Every structure is written in C-alpha cells, then in structure tokens.
Amino acid sequence: MHDPLAVLPGYTLRRAANAMMADLSARLAPLELRVTDASVLILIDAQSGSTASGIGRILDIQRANMVPLLNRLESAGLVRRVPIDRKSFSLELTPEGASRLAKARAIMARFETDLLDRIPREHRSHLVPALNALWQP
Amino acid sequence: MHDPLAVLPGYTLRRAANAMMADLSARLAPLELRVTDASVLILIDAQSGSTASGIGRILDIQRANMVPLLNRLESAGLVRRVPIDRKSFSLELTPEGASRLAKARAIMARFETDLLDRIPREHRSHLVPALNALWQP
DNA sequence: TATTGTTATACTCTATAACTATA
DNA sequence: TATAGTTATAGAGTATAACAATA
C-alpha cells in the first residue's frame, strides 16, 4: 500500500528523525554512548565549567533527568563533577572522556556526511536552515 | 551560551521533530488522540479493510505494539475489528471514529500550515523531499 | 512454512512533583 | 526569592521473545 502520510511535513519529519537517530544510536553503541551522551560530552568540551542545569537548558533536558545521565558518564570515568561552590558543580571531561569524545566525533562526522549524501543535491543546503526555524525561539 | 550543535543536520533534525511532535501532541490532546492514533485512523480510513499487521508495517509499528493501541481505539469506540477469516481482522472506522478523524484532520491541517509558515519561504518547498530521502527505502 | 494476533516483559526517554540546601 | 541538585515516580514509546492458530 502507498503511504498517504508521506506528503505531510510533520509526518516525514518524525519518520526521518526516527530513522536517523536509530542509525546514529547504532553507530555510537560500540563506544557505549547514547546519542544524548555524545551531545552532552560535546557541550562540556565546548564550555568546560558548565553546570548540569546549564547543559540541560541548552539541550532541553530536565534537571531531574540530567542526574542519572551524569551519574552514568561519571561512573564510566568520562566526566568529573568539580564543586564550584556549596550549591553547584562544574562539569569537566576526564582524559578518558576526551578520548572517547574524539572517537564519537569521528563517528558523528561520518554520520552527518552520510545523512547529507542521501539528500538530493538541490535540497541539501536547505535542510538545516529549515529545521532550525522549526525549533529555535 | 551559544549552542555549537545547531549546525549539525542530525541534531537539528531531532530538535525540530521533538518540538513539532510536542506541539502536535498538545493540539490533539483535547480529542484524546495521540499522534500515532491519528495516523492509524488516517490509514484505516484510506484503506478500510487493512489488518493490524498491515497498518503496522506502513507506520513501522511492531505487531505487538499495535495490540494495546488498537485496544484503546476500540474501547474508545473509534475502530472496529471485523473478522476476515479465522486468522485476521479487518479494521474499520466506526461513525464515531470517522467524526473524530474529521476533527483530527482539521487540527492537523492547521498544524501543517503553521509548521510551514515558520520556515523561510526560500527553504519551504525543499523540506518534504529532503526528509523523505532520509527514511524512505 | 510464513503470517496473524496476542501476552508478557523490559528498557529508554521524558515529565512532574517534592524536598534540601544554597545563592 | 530563585536556583542547583536530587529522589521518586509515572507515562509514553519501543523492542524482543515466545506461543497458538491459521493461511
């Protein structure tokens, strides 16, 4: 049967995101990183000293859900929580975290080029600006 | 802090899909329909007589997960399971299901135009073809 | 032999409420 | 008074394995 939903932007957006995230998940699995783990590592690396709340605000992850996520990353030896004051912690990559992130970056770079390669050339440059318009404030 | 991930197609795809699905979910909530419910109703309407397995194949929903979904729709009086043979069932909309679907279609039509309106005009027509290239076989 | 419907189950992701302590 | 971190919990969504019955 032909899929009558495939003309709807909302539907195609969801299908495309599901397919691509499943792909990226599978590629990151050998590193024992989830997609969200990788984005958190990237953000900590980009601004060492961020707090859990700050990272969560950028990635739209609830404060409460950052706790088990960071616990996992810390248990895996990838991230350290360093006290800023008596209320909050600064997040830093460990050397192991930095090396894991380097591998993740290589995988993600390949993933991104594979993604773009799937898109017909004439549409390619329009994707990111169109998508950003959908979620950015 | 500036978000260094916003240039990545994969990341923007996920953020856009999450934002749009949260929006559509909220719009459908007054009808007591989830996003997936609405797409199942559309497919049943488009090809009355489909089986649960068939609908699941099109929408990429596991057979096992179709069961509670259809149970809910049937309990809500929106869908009927009519025996085809002694092994499978044909899915049909009830009158109530058809009327609920009509309301859902109006909401979704508005949602889709609002979505497209957010995208700068020069990128707009490229979105659906680009997204379809990412998930269709 | 392949497929349909089903049950049971588990895991991930996400959202909310509440609490403590500190800025 | 607002914020950071935390705990506990519940709801979705999704994936797998297994089974009976039928095509």
Side-chain angles (χ1 to χ4, degrees), chain B residues 71-85:
Chain B
N71 286 346
R72 257 190 315 106
L73 294 178
E74 197 170 38
S75 298
L78 307 180
V79 162
R80 244 194 319 262
R81 287 188 245 225
V82 180
I84 294 178
D85 49 30

Side-chain angles (χ1 to χ4, degrees), chain B residues 37-38 40-49 73 77-82 90-102 105:
Chain B
D37 295 343
V40 167
L41 293 182
I42 289 175
L43 279 180
I44 294 175
D45 185 54
Q47 182 165 336
S48 198
L73 294 178
L78 307 180
V79 162
R80 244 194 319 262
R81 287 188 245 225
V82 180
S90 161
L91 298 172
E92 295 178 4
L93 296 188
T94 64
E96 171 71 16
S99 120
R100 194 79 62 91
L101 174 56
R105 280 194 201 277

Side-chain angles (χ1 to χ4, degrees), chain B residues 10-33:
Chain B
Y11 178 75
T12 60
L13 179 57
R14 186 160 73 138
R15 292 301 298 265
N18 287 347
M20 290 302 99
M21 288 309 108
D23 179 359
L24 181 55
S25 268
R27 297 190 195 212
L28 289 174
L31 297 185
E32 295 184 275
L33 291 178

Side-chain angles (χ1 to χ4, degrees), chain A residues 52-90:
Chain A
S53 294
I55 299 288
R57 267 191 296 273
I58 295 171
L59 294 179
D60 199 25
I61 302 173
Q62 307 290 322
R63 234 167 42 246
N65 295 328
M66 288 295 292
V67 177
L69 193 163
L70 289 172
N71 286 346
R72 256 190 315 104
L73 294 179
E74 198 171 36
S75 297
L78 307 179
V79 161
R80 245 196 317 262
R81 287 189 246 224
V82 180
I84 294 180
D85 49 31
R86 280 181 300 179
K87 184 180 169 190
S88 50
F89 297 89
S90 161

